[in-house]
Amino acid sequence: MVPRFDRTVCSLIDVLVGEVNPEADPFQRREVAHYVLATVAAMPDHFRLGFRILGMIFELAAIPLCGHRFSSLWPDDQRAYVERWRRSRVSVQRAMIAFYTAFATHGLYQYVRTARSGRPLAT
Amino acid sequence: MSPLRPRRTETLIIGSGPGGAVTGAVLAEAGRDVLMLEEGADLALDAAAPFSCDEMLLKYRNAGVSVALGNSKLAWVEGRCVGGGSEINRGLYHRTPEYILEEWTRRFQVKDLQPAVMRPHFEACETVARVEYAHHRAPEISRRLQSGAEVHGWHAGEAPRLYTYSPEEALRSSAPPGGKQSMSATFVPRFRQAGGQLLSSTRVRRLRREGSFWIAETEQRGADGGCHRSEVRADRIVVACGAVQTPALLRRSGMTRNIGNTLRFHPMVKVVADFGEMVNRAGDYDPVHQIREFEPQIGMGCSISTPAQLGMALAGQKDAWSLVREHWQNMGLYYVQSSGGSARVRNVRGFVDPMVRVRFEEDDLALLAVNLARLATALFAAGARRIYPCIPGYPVLESRADIASLPARLRPADGSLTSVHVFSSCPMGEDERVCAVNSFGAMFGTEGLYINDASLLCTPTGVNPQGTVMAVARRNAIAMLERRSR
Ligand SMILES: Cc1cc2nc3c(=O)[nH]c(=O)nc-3n(C[C@H](O)[C@H](O)[C@H](O)COP(=O)(O)OP(=O)(O)OC[C@H]3O[C@@H](n4cnc5c(N)ncnc54)[C@H](O)[C@@H]3O)c2cc1C
């Protein structure tokens, strides 16, 4: 079973990858999500704890707003919810989305290009 | 990798980055019994493509996620593998500017730091880890910076690198053949050849004194992911864990006097310049040009500009993916760096990783903003058609006139500051009010405990610091041999 936090991050990465490059296929999206999860697992332990708590809030705060946990929302609702966090007045919400966007983008350039053409865009 | 059983050594070196590797080679070549412990793995230079996701997961500390919190955030990166930061850096090389050595002598009362005393140490390090200019091989994105500076009459030039561009030339000499002159390619093999022992994937958790010995409590990660705890007993310990981990280890071990109170950086902000024509090709050598007109307060240069780096830098822009996909060959990534901000390294009960709290003054952020504008001016002079500041909410600059629209100082909430250089957390010198160790790295008030890494550098170097770290480490290692221990 995929742990809850991993499922939240995979859904979030799916949205972010879709924003940057809608053509990325599910396999490529999963590769990027694995990279981001490995990064979260390796980050300093005090941040990791904060990220896990924030991830849980991100997942559950969707219930009163949208009727379901974030990872169970329809894709359009997930996108709207991410956008709401991105534009939040609370800096930690914006920072969380910025963090995942930066690492998802980094992963995209390596894994998506590699998977598609058999080699990266440039090395 | 053989497991670490409780053992005894004359000298234990903790950390195999430039500080530890140079110290190890000097001591082992002098016939000393030396054991080196390194927390990270022992990996081939080409274990992962440079600056790739895989490299960040394999060779960077915390996968490249280290953030100092405070009145403005700063993200920095460090290496965590055999060779430390030298394995993941570009190896841009400078000897310490003379005015920096003079400042350290004056303000921190460091002995024997005159340029003439340091010269042989630089020369000796440069014969092991070779330093070369790229000259005609420098990529166009790099040359553009130089040409932009020249238009304004600013001093700019090419920095040499710890790199051998011409394998044939290297083969004729005794140096290792072509490529990156990281520690794993230079000082670490010398250390091993001279009989030094290196154990990787082994972290020192804490130090303690028992009689006339130092005990290092260690934790070794096995191939199965399990952890094996042990101890090393040593007459002398050299801590070379880098400018953040060295104070963290010492503070965990109860040593706090002037330890970890003055961590410094070279904070930088970046821009992407689009030149509207091809300047950036796959397979180009790394960029090497720097604008030096505004040193020591400000440095400017050209960063690694692969599509991934450009993509990360432009992540806040609309349609960044297609922008990079269509135009990456016309683009270069440039930085301006200062030496502002100061930070404290502290351990927090219950956590392994230290926390870093940074403080910037208003002037630090204003200085960066002024020089971001200068950098943009140089890039327009070099033919840039469009400049994208990598700071959320900043306008895209379409012409020189747009530079006036840039804010006069960076906003603390921008969160756009990064650094690849960390130092000065345990300054050396004879002024015990501000220094953690004496002029040669020996800890005040105790016997047989030394620091020999970037932590010692009294202030930011203003230039790329690895040359300074290596030369100071060599000078201190020789002093250890001459005086045995303090
Ligand atoms: C991406 C990047 C680019 C850079 N570019 C340049 C450049 O172009 N030119 C330049 O001059 N400088 C550059 N630098 C800076 C340069 O790499 C550092 O100044 C230099 O590596 C510092 O050497 P050090 O020995 O102090 O520490 P480090 O290189 O950080 O080495 C410390 C080692 O100690 C190990 N360690 C830490 N704690 C423990 C423990 N408790 N137990 C066991 N081992 C431990 C670490 O894993 C690490 O391998 C760059 C750095 C980075 C990260």
Side-chain angles (χ1 to χ4, degrees):
Chain A
M1 207 180 79
V2 184
R4 172 65 61 190
F5 177 75
D6 290 13
R7 205 185 312 169
T8 304
V9 172
C10 289
S11 304
L12 172 57
I13 295 302
D14 203 42
V15 172
L16 297 174
V17 168
E19 283 178 358
V20 178
N21 176 17
E23 291 163 27
D25 66 37
F27 173 76
Q28 295 163 341
R29 288 171 191 233
R30 229 178 7 255
E31 290 277 297
V32 176
H34 283 158
Y35 162 61
V36 177
L37 280 169
T39 300
V40 174
M43 68 170 47
D45 45 6
H46 40 85
F47 284 137
R48 193 160 61 240
L49 179 67
F51 264 70
R52 286 197 163 259
I53 295 170
L54 203 56
M56 197 170 70
I57 296 171
F58 177 76
E59 173 80 3
L60 298 180
I63 298 175
L65 287 170
C66 317
H68 293 282
R69 294 161 176 267
F70 169 72
S71 52
S72 307
L73 294 175
W74 290 101
D76 278 351
D77 293 336
Q78 285 185 334
R79 279 193 285 276
Y81 184 67
V82 169
E83 194 54 27
R84 186 190 273 256
W85 271 57
R86 183 180 282 133
R87 298 191 180 284
S88 167
R89 286 161 66 178
V90 182
S91 69
V92 73
Q93 295 188 327
R94 293 196 308 272
M96 184 187 106
I97 301 299
F99 169 86
Y100 283 113
T101 305
F103 281 84
T105 309
H106 197 218
L108 255 176
Y109 282 94
Q110 178 164 338
Y111 298 115
V112 171
R113 283 287 159 177
T114 305
R116 178 170 296 179
S117 61
R119 62 188 163 81
L121 186 55
T123 49
Chain B
M1 187 179 68
S2 54
L4 181 64
R5 278 182 275 282
R7 58 166 288 177
R8 186 179 163 358
T9 181
E10 182 189 297
T11 303
L12 174 68
I13 298 176
I14 310 172
S16 64
V22 170
T23 311
V26 170
L27 298 184
E29 285 176 350
R32 299 282 180 232
D33 165 31
V34 191
L35 172 67
M36 188 184 291
L37 300 180
E38 165 57 50
E39 180 180 358
D42 194 356
L43 298 161
L45 251 179
D46 59 359
F51 308 102
S52 64
C53 301
D54 297 341
E55 187 183 63
M56 287 176 80
L57 291 174
L58 275 176
K59 296 189 177 178
Y60 282 57
R61 178 168 296 281
N62 298 123
V65 184
S66 300
V67 183
L69 301 176
N71 63 352
S72 196
K73 269 189 312 199
L74 179 138
W76 83 93
V77 287
E78 291 167 281
R80 198 200 67 163
C81 55
V82 169
S86 74
E87 305 300 311
I88 56 172
N89 72 20
R90 246 191 301 169
L92 293 169
Y93 183 86
H94 293 278
R95 294 185 181 183
T96 326
E98 293 191 3
Y99 54 79
I100 294 285
L101 295 177
E102 279 155 21
E103 185 190 347
W104 293 356
T105 304
R106 195 181 62 249
R107 276 182 54 200
F108 295 81
Q109 299 169 21
V110 187
K111 287 186 200 157
D112 290 354
L113 203 66
Q114 298 82 346
V117 174
M118 291 305 293
R119 192 172 310 119
H121 299 298
F122 287 113
E123 286 168 358
C125 290
E126 290 158 14
T127 59
V128 179
R130 303 209 356 175
V131 175
E132 284 185 11
Y133 284 92
H135 294 314
H136 64 279
R137 306 177 190 89
E140 181 63 20
I141 43 169
S142 183
R143 292 164 189 282
R144 289 286 172 130
L145 189 68
Q146 163 105 13
S147 65
E150 276 166 4
V151 170
H152 294 284
W154 296 342
H155 171 45
E158 183 192 333
R161 285 177 68 202
L162 288 151
Y163 195 92
T164 53
Y165 289 93
S166 45
E168 322 80 62
E169 216 172 272
L171 280 172
R172 275 201 299 277
S173 73
S174 58
K180 199 164 160 162
Q181 299 288 284
S182 70
M183 293 301 107
S184 73
T186 56
F187 282 96
V188 170
R190 280 184 80 119
F191 167 69
R192 282 178 158 142
Q193 273 155 24
Q197 283 192 56
L198 169 60
L199 278 184
S200 56
S201 303
T202 305
R203 173 173 177 269
V204 174
R205 296 162 44 235
R206 197 171 278 105
L207 306 175
R208 63 173 205 274
R209 189 86 168 140
E210 247 180 46
S212 58
F213 293 109
W214 281 100
I215 310 285
E217 299 172 15
T218 64
E219 190 173 67
Q220 190 177 37
R221 258 176 301 117
D224 57 356
C227 258
H228 177 79
R229 290 196 168 180
S230 188
E231 288 189 349
V232 176
R233 179 178 287 253
D235 299 328
R236 172 163 62 194
I237 288 190
V238 181
V239 184
C241 302
V244 177
Q245 298 302 320
T246 284
L249 171 61
L250 292 171
R251 293 188 73 91
R252 273 201 303 279
S253 310
M255 285 160 269
T256 55
R257 187 147 178 254
N258 296 329
I259 303 280
N261 297 339
T262 52
L263 177 71
R264 304 287 299 271
F265 311 88
H266 282 151
M268 57 181 169
V269 282
K270 294 186 175 180
V271 300
V272 171
D274 183 343
F275 291 95
E277 60 183 321
M278 188 184 284
V279 289
N280 189 7
R281 291 181 179 79
D284 274 354
Y285 280 107
D286 290 350
V288 286
H289 286 90
Q290 298 178 327
I291 296 180
R292 310 200 55 187
E293 178 75 13
F294 311 105
E295 286 175 6
Q297 287 88 0
I298 288 291
M300 296 178 192
C302 182
S303 293
I304 300 290
S305 303
T306 61
Q309 306 298 324
L310 291 165
M312 287 256 276
L314 291 172
Q317 294 292 328
K318 207 168 157 293
D319 296 328
W321 178 262
S322 43
L323 195 66
V324 173
R325 192 180 50 194
E326 310 299 331
H327 299 288
W328 73 267
Q329 292 187 308
N330 302 345
M331 291 176 164
L333 186 56
Y334 300 88
Y335 67 84
V336 46
Q337 76 181 20
S338 74
S339 46
S342 178
R344 285 172 178 263
V345 181
R346 291 292 182 268
N347 297 299
V348 182
R349 194 180 287 273
F351 293 103
V352 171
D353 298 298
M355 277 201 186
V356 176
R357 283 204 74 78
V358 66
R359 181 162 182 84
F360 287 93
E361 303 302 331
E362 299 259 312
D363 288 354
D364 297 332
L365 300 175
L367 189 66
L368 276 166
V370 167
N371 285 282
L372 189 73
R374 277 186 176 144
L375 174 63
T377 312
L379 292 169
F380 277 123
R385 302 272 175 80
R386 188 171 286 140
I387 293 175
Y388 302 87
C390 307
I391 306 176
Y394 271 47
V396 178
L397 311 176
E398 306 277 352
S399 70
R400 255 192 88 156
D402 288 349
I403 295 174
S405 67
L406 290 174
R409 64 188 271 285
L410 303 182
R411 287 181 306 254
D414 283 339
S416 48
L417 297 177
T418 58
S419 181
V420 292
H421 302 158
V422 285
F423 24 58
S424 312
S425 53
C426 311
M428 62 182 168
E430 301 302 319
D431 184 349
E432 293 194 33
R433 289 167 307 167
V434 288
C435 299
V437 290
N438 77 5
S439 298
F440 302 95
M443 180 88 74
F444 291 123
T446 187
E447 288 285 313
L449 185 61
Y450 295 81
I451 298 176
N452 215 10
D453 64 11
S455 317
L456 295 181
L457 313 189
C458 302
T459 65
T461 46
V463 297
N464 306 76
Q466 190 182 319
T468 306
V469 176
M470 288 165 37
V472 168
R474 185 175 186 278
R475 157 189 177 274
N476 295 355
I478 289 172
M480 275 176 223
L481 286 172
E482 285 168 356
R483 287 156 221 205
R484 300 299 313 265
S485 74
R486 219 179 78 127

